[in-house]
């Protein structure tokens, strides 16, 4: 118990808070297309996704090991650095959620940790070769692979659907693909829990190693696996409706064959990467799958403006979170307990402000399919009837 200090407890709580934001930030990855096509009702979709995220957390720990003993030198990391990195990741997650941008929670976490460790321990504290191998290369390759797979799958799906005769045949094919979407979306949720919940496990394990509670090279204990899985499941159930709207309606008009193709392609890429220990972004993979599915249907319209904003957010995520994590590390590492308290209070204030801004123009299960734009400004009032 001598290793359980105020700072360690603060890091564990912050890590689970990040996991919670990861859940509602990334619900769209699994369920946006199923909600957009009507394969699942919104509330049913997030309930199924949350349960499978929890189950997926217990399937593998390879990604957790990549974080706890991979991208940073755990012998130089302190709990204060980890806390600072988490602050950077949480604030970036909330900012992009407010804007309805499906940015990468994973890259926000990696960026926050890299910035905090770089400031706190120097450049030697970051394994940049591992960052390149395990994060940057998969970030470039995974959406392209998922997009190409979804494009091919969509083309084949429409070739199969084209053989249906008459309205009754077309309706049967549509029902079949909607049923397939339920299965494929469920697999994406399971894969998401397998990949993303592990990142929080890795952060908590890194903190326990840094504080001396676990030996170097340890994997996550069972209580860490369970709590991380539960946090991401709860966040998923609440539903990141703002991002679901962007993913389901903002990139292209999704139909059941496209949704099935996009989700199946994304699941394959995510599960393969989790098995290999690549901590890739499920957001990048699923977005690539949606774009590929849009390109696979000849009459589909891709909204390249939305795709461009998402790409810009992807490019900015890692350095932006690193900058916030680095600034927080200055206060935490050099300011001791007063600096830590100051950082936590500042993060709480910014969080409250972002949540209040989101309430000005709320997106929820009842209006998630209404339009594809997300705004932080209140919608103008309808003119009174004459």
């Amino acid at each position: 118990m001598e290793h359980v200090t105020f700072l360690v407890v603060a890091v564990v709580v912050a890590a689970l808070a990040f996991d919670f934001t990861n859940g509602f930030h990334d619900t769209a990855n699994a369920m946006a297309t199923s909600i957009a096509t009507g394969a699942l009702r919104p509330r049913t979709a997030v309930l199924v996704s949350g349960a499978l995220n929890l189950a997926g957390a217990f399937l593998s720990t390879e990604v957790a090991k990549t974080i706890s003993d991979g991208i940073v030198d755990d012998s130089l990391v302190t709990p204060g650095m980890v806390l600072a990195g988490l602050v950077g990741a949480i604030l970036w997650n909330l900012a992009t959620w407010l804007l309805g941008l499906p940015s990468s929670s994973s890259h926000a976490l990696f960026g926050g940790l890299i910035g905090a460790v770089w400031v706190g321990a120097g450049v030697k504290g970051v394994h940049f070769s591992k960052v390149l191998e395990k994060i940057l290369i998969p970030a470039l390759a995974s959406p392209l692979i998922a997009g190409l797979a979804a494009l091919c799958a969509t083309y084949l799906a429409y070739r199969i659907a084209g053989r249906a005769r008459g309205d009754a045949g077309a309706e049967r094919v549509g029902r079949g693909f909607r049923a397939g979407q339920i299965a494929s979306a469920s697999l994406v949720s399971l894969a998401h829990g397998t990949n993303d919940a592990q990142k929080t496990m890795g952060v908590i394990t890194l903190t326990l190693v840094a504080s001396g509670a676990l030996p170097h090279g340890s994997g996550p204990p069972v209580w860490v696996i369970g709590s991380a899985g539960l946090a991401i499941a709860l966040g998923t159930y609440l539903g990141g409706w703002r991002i679901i709207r962007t993913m389901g309606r903002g990139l292209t008009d999704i139909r059941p064959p496209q949704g099935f193709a996009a989700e199946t392609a994304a699941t394959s890429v995510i599960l393969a990467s989790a098995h290999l220990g690549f901590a890739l972004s499920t957001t990048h993979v699923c977005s690539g799958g949606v774009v590929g599915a849009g390109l696979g249907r000849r009459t589909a319209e891709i909204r390249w403006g939305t795709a461009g904003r998402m790409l810009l957010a992807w490019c900015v995520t890692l350095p932006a979170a690193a900058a916030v994590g680095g600034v927080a590390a200055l206060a935490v590492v050099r300011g001791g307990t007063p600096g830590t308290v100051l950082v936590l209070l500042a993060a709480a204030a910014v969080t409250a402000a972002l949540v209040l801004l989101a309430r000005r123009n709320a997106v929820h299960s009842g209006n998630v399919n209404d339009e594809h734009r997300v705004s932080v400004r209140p919608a103008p009032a309808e003119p009174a009837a004459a």
Side-chain angles (χ1 to χ4, degrees):
M1 293 298 292
E2 64 272 13
H3 301 293
V4 182
T5 63
F6 163 75
L7 195 53
V8 170
V9 173
V11 171
V12 172
V13 172
L16 294 177
F18 165 79
D19 209 23
F20 180 82
T21 66
N22 190 354
F24 72 70
H25 202 280
D26 287 4
T27 309
N29 296 342
M31 291 298 174
T33 57
S34 295
I35 292 171
T37 64
L40 284 170
R41 294 185 177 183
R43 282 294 177 190
T44 302
V46 295
L47 177 61
V48 170
S49 186
L52 290 171
N53 265 293
L54 176 59
F58 290 88
L59 294 183
S60 171
T61 59
E62 291 302 316
V63 173
K65 293 174 183 176
T66 295
I67 296 172
S68 63
D69 189 25
I71 63 173
V72 294
D73 187 341
D74 64 2
S75 65
L76 299 176
V77 174
T78 65
M81 297 177 199
V82 179
L83 178 63
L86 286 167
V87 167
I90 290 170
L91 294 183
W92 182 256
N93 263 2
L94 290 172
T96 50
W97 163 74
L98 174 67
L99 297 172
L101 286 174
S103 69
S104 171
S105 298
S106 306
H107 285 198
L109 176 59
F110 300 145
L113 283 175
I114 290 169
V117 173
W118 197 340
V119 168
V123 68
K124 62 183 179 296
V126 181
H127 297 153
F128 286 102
S129 61
K130 289 288 186 182
V131 172
L132 178 64
E133 174 191 352
K134 296 287 190 178
I135 298 173
L136 297 182
I137 292 177
L140 294 173
S142 58
L144 296 177
I145 295 171
L148 181 60
L151 188 155
C152 295
T154 301
Y155 175 78
L156 291 174
Y158 274 102
R159 288 294 298 270
I160 295 170
R163 297 174 182 173
R165 296 184 181 276
D167 293 340
E171 180 60 27
R172 275 199 309 272
V173 170
R175 285 199 303 269
F177 276 116
R178 279 191 286 271
Q181 267 197 282
I182 296 173
S184 59
S186 297
L187 285 174
V188 174
S189 296
L190 189 69
H192 182 264
T194 303
N195 195 282
D196 278 43
Q198 289 188 59
K199 292 157 191 171
T200 298
M201 298 178 207
V203 168
I204 296 176
T205 303
L206 179 63
T207 303
L208 296 175
V209 170
S211 67
L214 290 176
H216 292 289
S218 296
V222 174
W223 71 266
V224 172
I225 297 172
S227 59
L230 185 60
I232 200 169
L234 288 173
T236 301
Y237 176 69
L238 288 180
W241 304 112
R242 304 176 78 83
I243 299 175
I244 288 174
R245 175 181 286 182
T246 300
M247 284 282 281
R249 295 290 186 183
L251 283 171
T252 187
D253 292 321
I254 290 289
R255 296 181 182 177
Q258 294 169 280
F260 175 74
E263 291 159 358
T264 303
T267 301
S268 302
V269 174
I270 294 168
L271 287 177
S273 70
H275 177 71
L276 295 172
F278 291 122
L280 55 72
S281 165
T282 55
T283 300
H284 291 185
V285 174
C286 294
S287 300
V290 171
V291 172
L295 293 172
R297 181 165 67 92
R298 285 179 297 177
T299 59
E301 174 194 0
I302 303 296
R303 299 185 180 96
W304 294 109
T306 301
R309 288 192 294 273
M310 287 171 54
L311 181 60
L312 178 61
W314 293 1
C315 294
V316 172
T317 291
L318 199 146
V324 177
V327 171
L330 284 174
V332 172
V333 174
R334 299 183 181 180
T337 300
T340 301
V341 173
L342 179 63
V343 165
L344 292 175
L345 290 175
V350 174
T351 297
L354 293 172
V355 171
L356 288 174
L357 279 173
R359 288 184 175 180
R360 295 174 62 186
N361 192 12
V363 181
H364 47 77
S365 60
N367 67 2
V368 67
N369 280 334
D370 286 356
E371 55 179 313
H372 63 80
R373 288 295 182 103
V374 172
S375 173
V376 297
R377 297 179 179 179
E382 294 290 336

